[in-house]
Amino acid sequence: MLAQASAWQPPDAAARVAEDLTWETRRMPARQAPEPASVCLLDSSYGAEAASLLYRAYRNDPTYRWLMDTSRPGYDHRLRTTLRELLRNHIAEQRPALGLVQHDRLIGIALISPPERRLEVTESWGWRWRMLLSAGRRATRRYLDFHAAVMACVPPGPHHLLPLLGVLPEYQGQGYGEQLLGALHDWCAQDGASQGIVLDTGNHRYMDFYRRNGYREIGEVRIGPVREHVFFHPNPQPLAGIPGSHG
């Protein structure tokens, strides 16, 4: 079982910390080895901290810079609003999220949409109305078209989808992304009905990262100047790390 957010520590944390330090020591000089972090299954209280983290993680993302139109004033407001509404819908639908925590600070997060059919965010008229009022018509239209194009690349069958995945900028490049992705694979692998994991990115810096972790590209979305790449991790197998729970 993953720990709940109120505890901020998963069972067998000491063992996972030892594994993380061993892996990081091989990857980086000992003097640069980052402090260990733990992964937990977040509860519904994580919203505010997660919204701030996602904003910082996606602020310079090329896809969102176009979707929210950096050429017009108010980009930061539109980005914050969009990420907040996506997160709000995720929580309202009671979908899971994994958090990466260090010293009681949330430094990474992965939102997970399980294979069970639920209302997509773009199908919610409440979400559309709030987006129109806060982000504006152009940003809402761009996001709707973008989301539809990405979903058209998803292969048939039950899959886990990752709508948002991010690590705070100052913690990137230190192995925390691999740790979060490994725990995510463990969690999703507990669902035997799932055929794999689907995610997308328009940031070329992350493409090799996903390929190294077993993902292959299955589609490309071209919308405006955006080239969003859709990746698939087939039949996820548990990695050595934190076991997941779907109960």
Side-chain angles (χ1 to χ4, degrees):
M1 295 284 290
L2 288 171
Q4 296 299 315
S6 58
W8 288 122
Q9 288 290 335
D12 300 323
R16 181 58 187 253
V17 166
E19 290 176 5
D20 290 343
L21 289 176
T22 300
W23 187 89
E24 291 292 347
T25 300
R26 292 197 301 268
R27 183 174 183 270
M28 305 175 64
R31 59 185 174 84
Q32 297 180 355
E35 295 186 59
S38 59
V39 179
C40 61
L41 186 63
L42 300 176
D43 61 27
S44 59
S45 68
Y46 66 86
E49 192 172 5
S52 176
L53 185 158
L54 289 170
Y55 166 73
R56 294 189 58 200
Y58 279 89
R59 187 174 186 274
N60 293 315
D61 182 83
T63 300
Y64 277 87
R65 286 178 62 84
W66 183 80
L67 291 175
M68 300 298 112
D69 196 354
T70 56
S71 68
R72 295 190 299 122
Y75 165 72
D76 288 308
H77 170 73
R78 291 188 294 275
L79 178 63
R80 285 184 185 275
T81 294
T82 299
L83 294 173
R84 183 190 68 221
E85 292 301 332
L86 291 172
L87 184 62
R88 176 178 177 177
N89 184 80
H90 193 89
I91 296 173
E93 288 287 315
Q94 298 183 336
R95 296 179 179 180
L98 294 186
L100 186 63
V101 182
Q102 185 184 86
H103 301 310
D104 292 330
R105 183 187 186 191
L106 188 65
I107 65 172
I109 189 171
L111 304 189
I112 308 168
S113 290
E116 297 83 10
R117 170 63 178 155
R118 295 186 181 180
L119 186 69
E120 285 292 330
V121 62
T122 54
E123 298 172 334
S124 167
W125 285 105
W127 176 86
R128 291 191 181 202
W129 180 247
R130 291 191 299 272
M131 281 288 293
L132 284 168
L133 290 177
S134 53
R137 180 178 178 181
R138 182 186 299 184
T140 302
R141 182 73 264 166
R142 283 186 175 186
Y143 186 86
L144 289 171
D145 292 343
F146 165 76
H147 182 269
V150 170
M151 293 304 294
C153 296
V154 176
H159 303 93
H160 285 85
L161 305 179
L162 305 184
L164 292 171
L165 172 69
V167 174
L168 285 173
E170 61 267 34
Y171 290 89
Q172 294 177 10
Q174 302 179 55
Y176 294 117
E178 285 90 343
Q179 181 183 352
L180 180 58
L181 202 61
L184 176 69
H185 289 169
D186 284 354
W187 195 90
C188 293
Q190 306 307 311
D191 186 347
S194 176
Q195 295 179 8
I197 301 172
V198 178
L199 57 79
D200 59 276
T201 183
N203 194 325
H204 289 275
R205 294 194 302 118
Y206 300 147
M207 294 179 65
D208 287 340
F209 168 76
Y210 290 128
R211 291 189 180 106
R212 288 198 311 269
N213 283 276
Y215 288 80
R216 59 182 175 85
E217 188 170 350
I218 59 173
E220 180 180 294
V221 171
R222 294 174 177 246
I223 180 168
V226 172
R227 299 295 180 268
E228 190 79 356
H229 301 268
V230 183
F231 286 90
F232 177 56
H233 188 292
N235 300 321
Q237 299 297 317
L239 305 179
I242 302 176
S245 171
H246 286 74

